[in-house]
Amino acid sequence: MLASEWKRLKVLKILERNLKKGSVKIIPETIDDFWHLYNIIYKNDEVYAHTTREIKPEEKYARPRRGERIPVFLGVKVEKVTWDRLLGKLRVHGTICEGPEIVPTGAHHTLNIALNTPLTIVKREWAKHQIERLERASKTSERPIIIVAIDDEGYAMATTTQFGVEVKVEESIKLPGKLEAEKRSAATKEYFKKALNSLRQIWATTPNPVVIIGVGFVKNDFAKFLENEAADIAKSVIDVKSVNNGGVAGIYEALRSGVLLKATKQLRIVEETEIMEEVLKRLGKGEPTITYGFEEVEKAAKVGAVEKLVLADAMLRESSNDRRLLIEDLMKTVEKKGGKIIVVSTEHEAGAKLIALGGMAALLRFALH
């Protein structure tokens, strides 16, 4: 697909926003929008949406009759939010706080959030980072990229998402050595056919841009093979880059090292990976302009030393209410003193590294003594 056509991609729509009343009405249009909502909807928020509810007849039979499922508009006070990454399903569980008379208030209900259907989120107070996340999702649709890591020992293919990298296929192979030129040429052709078949299956479902990476010259040969054997896919190849590792390790290396920046400069995962590399680099060198853990970061925030607060999404989503309020107060302090907040997804490698540091780190403007 041409770059000029990307502008027609779907993005999250913000229909109404009344922060005085704490309400924002939106329409999610992509699965990635569900990921944003999963990280924005908290316990004790209220979510309003169209749903269906089984209404049982009020008749005194010996056996209870099965009720009729009817469409209703309900408000649910949130107790739990679940997101099925594989199925792309977002569910909001809670108790009914508003609905028609036939639906009992206080009863439990689960809203299955649907694409292209409006919902309203009501919070006691919206944090700045939450509004910024919605605004960013509504302005830029970060197009997924297919990454092909290929060399003479095998290939791996993955697609990028706003929440991480999803490996689609991984194959190992051993080509004949370069001294057996004839055998190697024939085997390579069959190998490329197999790789093309895997790539076509992925690309046919979502014809997204393709980046080819790998060790040595095999990646370049595969790119030329695509031009001759699959011109439609070849047109989607936007970059060919070298890495030091093959397979899935090469894909993560490409994200860490920045060789995918040309293709993914709008992709949030790259920003998150880069900031964690900077955190680990400063820690590794023992630099004084880095700290981690809630207590230490809080000390730095109070004196205006925090330039960037790096926070794992799980810290906000999974903490108790009291703990989350403390974290949000810390975030407000950082923002008031001109600091930037970067929330890192725990669905990919960078987030896992941050969790190992306690889920929170800060890059400092100046050293603390």
Side-chain angles (χ1 to χ4, degrees):
M1 190 174 288
L2 298 175
S4 59
E5 295 178 278
W6 297 3
K7 296 177 182 178
R8 294 200 295 269
L9 294 173
K10 293 182 177 181
V11 294
L12 180 140
K13 290 181 180 177
I14 301 177
L15 299 180
E16 297 174 11
R17 180 165 58 179
N18 188 335
L19 296 185
K20 288 184 179 179
K21 293 184 177 180
S23 69
V24 176
K25 186 175 183 180
I26 61 173
I27 297 179
E29 294 200 336
T30 71
I31 296 298
D32 274 344
D33 292 342
F34 284 172
W35 171 248
H36 293 303
L37 296 180
Y38 177 59
N39 284 286
I40 284 173
I41 299 173
Y42 295 163
K43 186 177 180 180
N44 292 326
D45 289 348
E46 294 176 4
V47 176
Y48 295 80
H50 289 279
T51 183
T52 61
R53 174 89 180 174
E54 185 176 304
I55 306 297
K56 294 182 179 179
E58 296 180 2
E59 296 176 356
K60 297 179 181 179
Y61 291 103
R63 290 183 179 179
R65 293 175 59 188
R66 188 172 182 178
E68 178 187 2
R69 185 163 287 278
I70 64 170
V72 287
F73 182 79
L74 294 181
V76 169
K77 187 172 183 179
V78 180
E79 292 182 351
K80 186 180 180 182
V81 183
T82 59
W83 179 61
D84 190 318
R85 174 179 173 183
L86 296 177
L87 297 178
K89 301 285 186 182
L90 182 71
R91 297 181 178 90
V92 178
H93 312 265
T95 54
I96 298 170
C97 59
E98 187 175 314
E101 291 183 1
I102 56 174
V103 178
T105 303
H108 281 85
H109 187 81
T110 297
L111 296 174
N112 291 296
I113 306 302
L115 292 178
N116 306 309
T117 303
L119 70 147
T120 299
I121 304 168
V122 179
K123 291 178 175 288
R124 184 174 297 175
E125 182 180 4
W126 281 83
K128 182 180 177 183
H129 73 93
Q130 295 169 335
I131 294 298
E132 287 178 346
R133 185 165 192 154
L134 286 180
E135 288 178 342
R136 187 169 56 246
S138 71
K139 291 174 183 176
T140 58
S141 181
E142 298 172 342
R143 187 168 182 78
I145 293 169
I146 301 170
I147 307 172
V148 178
I150 188 166
D151 56 28
D152 57 8
E153 294 185 354
Y155 63 84
M157 298 180 189
T159 55
T160 59
T161 68
Q162 291 182 10
F163 51 82
V165 173
E166 186 175 353
V167 178
K168 296 290 188 180
V169 63
E170 186 173 13
E171 293 283 347
S172 297
I173 197 170
K174 189 67 176 178
L175 291 174
K178 294 179 181 178
L179 296 177
E180 301 177 277
E182 202 170 307
K183 285 185 179 180
R184 183 179 175 87
S185 177
T188 299
K189 189 173 182 180
E190 290 304 311
Y191 172 42
F192 283 176
K193 284 181 179 179
K194 185 176 182 180
L196 171 57
N197 184 53
S198 296
L199 177 56
R200 187 171 287 285
Q201 289 181 37
I202 300 169
W203 189 83
T205 305
T206 52
N208 294 319
V210 177
V211 175
I212 302 173
I213 61 174
V215 183
F217 296 102
V218 173
K219 65 184 182 302
N220 305 86
D221 295 337
F222 183 64
K224 292 176 182 176
F225 179 81
L226 291 181
E227 291 176 4
N228 296 326
E229 302 293 331
D232 52 345
I233 297 179
K235 290 178 182 177
S236 293
V237 176
I238 55 174
D239 212 355
V240 180
K241 290 289 186 181
S242 293
V243 290
N244 296 317
N245 295 287
V248 175
I251 291 171
Y252 283 116
E253 179 196 336
L255 286 168
R256 287 195 302 271
S257 65
V259 301
L260 295 178
L261 282 179
K262 174 184 172 184
T264 59
K265 62 182 179 180
Q266 296 299 323
L267 200 62
R268 187 170 176 83
I269 184 175
V270 172
E271 179 187 6
E272 295 175 8
T273 300
E274 284 186 331
I275 198 71
M276 275 310 300
E277 289 300 306
E278 180 63 24
V279 167
L280 296 173
K281 184 180 82 172
R282 294 192 191 187
L283 284 173
K285 291 182 176 180
E287 293 184 11
T289 55
I290 179 71
T291 191
Y292 62 92
F294 182 84
E295 289 74 16
E296 296 303 315
V297 172
E298 186 180 40
K299 291 176 187 176
K302 286 179 178 178
V303 296
V306 177
E307 182 180 15
K308 292 181 181 178
L309 171 61
V310 189
L311 184 68
D313 57 11
M315 294 287 288
L316 293 168
R317 195 175 58 243
E318 298 173 7
S319 295
S320 66
N321 284 341
D322 291 342
R323 181 68 171 174
R324 194 176 69 237
L325 288 173
L326 289 174
I327 294 171
E328 290 190 342
D329 284 342
L330 171 59
M331 295 167 76
K332 289 175 186 175
T333 300
V334 171
E335 288 174 336
K336 284 178 183 177
K337 295 181 181 293
K340 181 180 179 181
I341 295 168
I342 299 172
V343 180
V344 176
S345 166
T346 48
E347 290 291 319
H348 62 86
E349 193 178 43
K353 290 177 179 177
L354 185 55
I355 288 294
L357 295 175
M360 181 183 298
L363 302 179
L364 308 179
R365 296 187 178 96
F366 50 85
L368 298 178
H369 300 287

